[in-house]
């Protein structure tokens, strides 16, 4: 997830990362924070997670129970200060492509109890995740956004799995290169189908507007491009039209005011 964001060369620069339970851990929270990303995952059984105090003397009038026994679960700020130059060196190495974040996390978690760099990553992550959880509890709109964003990701994954029907969707090759190819080809296919469906939906929406139907941003927000009813996975795939250049398509729906969605959020 981190490597993918850092390798992003598009004009879209996301500031918030949404993921499921597997997309979060203390070191991942730390890396996201160091790179300026706001990690807001949907965490399963978050009520069982530990909240960490900023000091042993800290007491909270209404949420004290979240932090456990008084004086415990305290962030080790001295360790963070001591190891901060090392944390920055690791972050810069990942950002410059000299170190893979997955490799780094794997190395840190092995023998982690005696690894001070890992402990420092853990302490920063504890602080960042505690703040994220408190924000999640306090902000109903944020909870809705996190749930909606995660549902979109899960819907896409389910759609991609549906398209990967060959060999019952099982990647049987043991070669990591071939495995990566299969995953990327599946993602490419899914993106192409989503794009084609979105164009078809846009044409239909324009026809409805021309017929006098009122189409609002709120109605469009209920639509999804992950449709399968119109797709024949096992049919004939003609290729004789590939050389025909399609006409330019304007995907913008200027007739609809999308600012209402921002106001509702």
């Amino acid at each position: 997830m981190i490597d993918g964001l850092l390798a992003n060369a598009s004009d879209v620069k996301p500031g918030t990362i949404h993921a499921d339970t597997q997309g979060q851990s203390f070191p991942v929270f730390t890396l996201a924070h160091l790179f300026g990303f706001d990690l807001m995952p949907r965490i399963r059984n978050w009520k069982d997670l530990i909240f960490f105090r900023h000091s042993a003397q800290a007491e909270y009038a209404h949420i004290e129970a979240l932090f456990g026994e008084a004086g415990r679960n305290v962030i080790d700020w001295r360790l963070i200060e001591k190891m901060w130059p090392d944390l920055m060196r690791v972050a810069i190495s990942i950002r410059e492509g000299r170190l893979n974040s997955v490799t780094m996390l794997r190395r840190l978690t092995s023998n982690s109890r005696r690894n001070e760099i890992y402990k420092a990553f853990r302490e920063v992550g504890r602080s960042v995740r505690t703040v994220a959880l408190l924000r999640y509890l306090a902000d109903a709109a944020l909870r809705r956004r996190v749930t909606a964003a995660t549902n979109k990701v899960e819907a896409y994954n389910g759609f991609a799995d549906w398209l990967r029907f060959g060999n019952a969707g099982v990647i049987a090759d043991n070669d990591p290169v071939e495995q990566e190819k299969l995953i990327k080809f599946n993602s490419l296919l899914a993106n192409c189908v989503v794009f084609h469906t979105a164009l078809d939906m846009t044409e239909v929406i324009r026809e409805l507007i021309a017929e006098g139907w009122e189409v609002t941003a709120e109605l469009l927000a209920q639509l999804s491009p992950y449709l399968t009813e119109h797709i024949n996975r096992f049919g004939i795939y003609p290729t004789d039209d590939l050389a025909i250049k399609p006409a330019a398509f304007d995907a913008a729906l200027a007739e609809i005011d999308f600012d209402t969605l921002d106001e509702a959020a």
Side-chain angles (χ1 to χ4, degrees):
M1 178 177 64
I2 297 294
D3 289 339
L5 288 167
L6 294 178
N8 174 33
S10 70
D11 294 332
V12 179
K13 302 298 181 182
T16 302
I17 313 171
H18 295 288
D20 56 13
T21 303
Q22 287 71 31
Q24 62 86 31
S25 67
F26 291 135
V28 173
F29 267 102
T30 300
L31 283 177
H33 179 71
L34 292 177
F35 291 131
F37 301 120
D38 187 14
L39 178 59
M40 292 302 302
R42 184 173 65 179
I43 304 175
R44 187 187 303 111
N45 298 325
W46 62 266
K47 63 182 182 301
D48 298 325
L49 299 179
I50 297 175
F51 289 64
F52 290 86
R53 306 172 188 271
H54 70 277
S55 70
Q57 294 74 34
E59 296 182 0
Y60 307 97
H62 305 292
I63 56 174
E64 180 69 17
L66 295 175
F67 295 83
E69 185 179 340
R72 299 192 61 185
N73 303 327
V74 180
I75 302 295
D76 190 348
W77 298 108
R78 290 184 178 179
L79 176 63
I80 294 175
E81 183 179 5
K82 172 186 174 183
M83 302 302 298
W84 188 255
D86 296 281
L87 297 186
M88 295 305 298
R89 276 193 286 268
V90 171
I92 293 172
S93 296
I94 294 175
R95 187 192 64 186
E96 298 301 318
R98 298 180 180 275
L99 178 63
N100 181 278
S101 65
V102 177
T103 302
M104 187 276 298
L105 290 173
R106 187 180 296 117
R107 289 177 179 176
L108 287 181
T109 52
S110 61
N111 197 25
S112 59
R113 291 185 180 277
R114 293 192 296 272
N115 191 320
E116 282 200 315
I117 296 181
Y118 172 80
K119 290 180 180 179
F121 265 92
R122 182 191 62 191
E123 292 302 305
V124 175
R126 285 174 170 177
S127 174
V128 177
R129 191 180 74 175
T130 297
V131 173
L133 290 174
L134 291 173
R135 289 171 55 200
Y136 186 84
L137 284 174
D139 191 340
L142 177 61
R143 293 197 295 273
R144 289 193 294 269
R145 288 197 299 271
V146 169
T147 300
T150 309
N151 286 343
K152 289 179 183 178
V153 174
E154 292 178 349
Y156 174 83
N157 290 337
F159 180 72
D161 288 341
W162 184 83
L163 288 175
R164 190 177 64 240
F165 57 85
N167 199 26
V170 176
I171 300 178
D173 202 306
N174 292 327
D175 185 348
V177 175
E178 295 302 316
Q179 292 175 350
E180 185 176 4
K181 284 182 182 179
L182 290 171
I183 294 173
K184 288 185 175 180
F185 289 158
N186 178 238
S187 297
L188 177 61
L189 174 62
N191 288 331
C192 289
V193 176
V194 166
F195 179 66
H196 194 288
T197 301
L199 295 183
D200 290 342
M201 293 172 66
T202 305
E203 290 282 13
V204 173
I205 292 168
R206 285 206 172 99
E207 292 175 3
L208 291 174
I209 294 175
E211 293 174 5
W213 291 85
E214 182 182 0
V215 180
T216 65
E218 289 76 13
L219 289 175
L220 293 183
Q222 307 303 315
L223 300 179
S224 169
Y226 307 133
L227 306 177
T228 58
E229 293 83 356
H230 64 302
I231 302 174
N232 183 3
R233 294 185 297 177
F234 308 104
I236 298 174
Y237 300 86
T239 59
D240 53 332
D241 294 338
L242 294 179
I244 301 176
K245 184 177 180 179
F249 187 87
D250 180 12
L253 290 169
E255 306 90 343
I256 299 174
D257 181 14
F258 289 97
D259 292 337
T260 57
L261 293 180
D262 295 333
E263 294 171 359

